[in-house]
Amino acid sequence: MTGPVPILRLGDILLTGLLNDLDDKTALEFTGELVDRISAEGSRGVVIDISRLEIIDSFVARVLMELAGTGKLLGARMIVAGMRPAVAITLSELGLQLSGVETALNAERAMARLGWEQRPRRAEAHAAG
Amino acid sequence: MPQGETTTGAAPEERHAITDERDLLRSRHAVRAAAVAAGFDLVGQTKLVTAASELVRNAYIHGGGGVLRIVPLTGAGGRRGVRLVVSDHGPGIPDVDTALSDGYSTGAGLGHGLGGTRRLVDSFAIDTEPGRGTTIVVERWA
């Protein structure tokens, strides 16, 4: 099944990102596919990059909260990463703090929390030698 | 707010029908363009577009569709703003005070649609009656 939003697998982690101009139907299809993938692949962690989203309204916020909750029930650590500052300010004023959703400043930090450390090149060369 | 001196002739007003789901995206684009044209900063644009998204979705889901009007405003001292008028012919809202309080929802939202939306704009007015539909007018200044 190939949905409208690419979902990459990196070991036991899934990395995906929502595009701007997400319509309601696509958002719901995406959540269905992501939940299926978490379950089928036994993912330990999921990073959802939202840095492309120029707005998050109450519908998208609800989708993200439900998705995070469902993923957690399946045993995956769910991290929503990269919210734009203007979006964060607006969501907060709307009264939606995405309670219960783990967030990270960007996808890189989210991956690091899941154990994907980016090592300096020299250290890698040393380890290889 | 410079309500008394507000004029609406800065640019032509736009009308957008809200009849199918793609109109939600179209409305957002149109409101973003109007906010940029009025000189809104990024946070101001984001708040207005988010407010528009809430109101247009409400009209689509609860009101069975409707119309979005985007009216460019010019206030005292040349200050610019945008007025959004979202109207539907749906069942109306029986208890406006409750609908405006956080945590209330009858549909697919989180219950922050109206109470939260009001905080994103400088002025908010609602005209609704059971059986007659709902019109919501919001304004935000750059």
Side-chain angles (χ1 to χ4, degrees):
Chain A
M1 174 162 99
T2 306
V5 182
I7 300 170
L8 308 178
R9 187 169 67 83
L10 301 167
D12 52 6
I13 293 171
L14 295 178
L15 173 61
T16 185
L18 294 174
L19 296 178
N20 194 40
D21 284 349
L22 182 72
D23 62 68
D24 295 8
K25 190 164 153 276
T26 306
L28 295 174
E29 279 173 18
F30 164 74
T31 61
E33 189 188 353
L34 187 57
V35 168
D36 287 347
R37 292 276 300 268
I38 293 169
S39 159
E41 297 172 24
S43 310
R44 179 172 58 86
V46 178
V47 175
I48 304 165
D49 183 293
I50 57 164
S51 61
R52 306 276 285 269
L53 292 186
E54 289 178 357
I55 72 152
I56 294 181
D57 60 14
S58 58
F59 175 80
V60 174
R62 186 182 64 126
V63 165
L64 286 172
M65 288 169 73
E66 286 180 357
L67 182 54
T70 308
K72 263 189 243 176
L73 289 175
L74 294 173
R77 183 168 172 191
M78 308 291 290
I79 306 180
V80 170
M83 186 184 293
R84 296 181 177 209
V87 171
I89 291 167
T90 302
L91 262 190
S92 199
E93 204 150 298
L94 255 183
L96 298 170
Q97 279 84 17
L98 298 191
S99 3
V101 180
E102 182 174 358
T103 55
L105 186 64
N106 55 41
E108 223 166 9
R109 289 199 183 180
M111 292 300 287
R113 270 193 223 161
L114 292 168
W116 279 71
E117 295 295 345
Q118 197 181 29
R119 270 176 282 172
R121 272 169 193 269
R122 211 159 23 139
E124 267 171 33
H126 182 74
Chain B
M1 285 309 112
Q3 305 288 5
E5 299 176 47
T6 298
T7 59
T8 59
E13 90 170 54
E14 293 177 42
R15 287 175 68 90
H16 296 267
I18 308 162
T19 50
D20 67 49
E21 204 181 288
R22 281 177 305 177
D23 291 327
L24 273 58
L25 276 183
R26 290 193 195 105
S27 302
R28 266 150 56 172
H29 289 167
V31 171
R32 170 84 63 179
V36 169
F40 282 47
D41 65 14
L42 187 57
V43 171
Q45 292 169 32
T46 305
K47 286 183 178 178
L48 188 69
V49 176
T50 305
S53 187
E54 297 293 333
L55 297 177
V56 169
R57 177 175 280 108
N58 276 346
Y60 175 66
I61 292 174
H62 302 298
V67 174
L68 162 70
R69 282 169 54 216
I70 304 172
V71 186
L73 303 174
T74 304
R79 195 178 180 205
R80 290 195 291 167
V82 175
R83 175 187 297 153
L84 306 177
V85 183
V86 179
S87 45
D88 67 55
H89 297 289
I93 302 171
D95 184 347
V96 174
D97 288 341
T98 307
L100 283 170
S101 66
D102 276 357
Y104 172 83
S105 177
T106 57
L110 257 176
H112 292 267
L114 286 184
T117 302
R118 184 157 64 164
R119 288 193 291 272
L120 298 179
V121 292
D122 293 317
S123 76
F124 182 104
I126 182 164
D127 178 19
T128 185
E129 200 179 284
R132 195 172 52 81
T134 301
T135 296
I136 295 179
V137 182
V138 301
E139 292 177 358
R140 187 176 170 94
W141 295 87

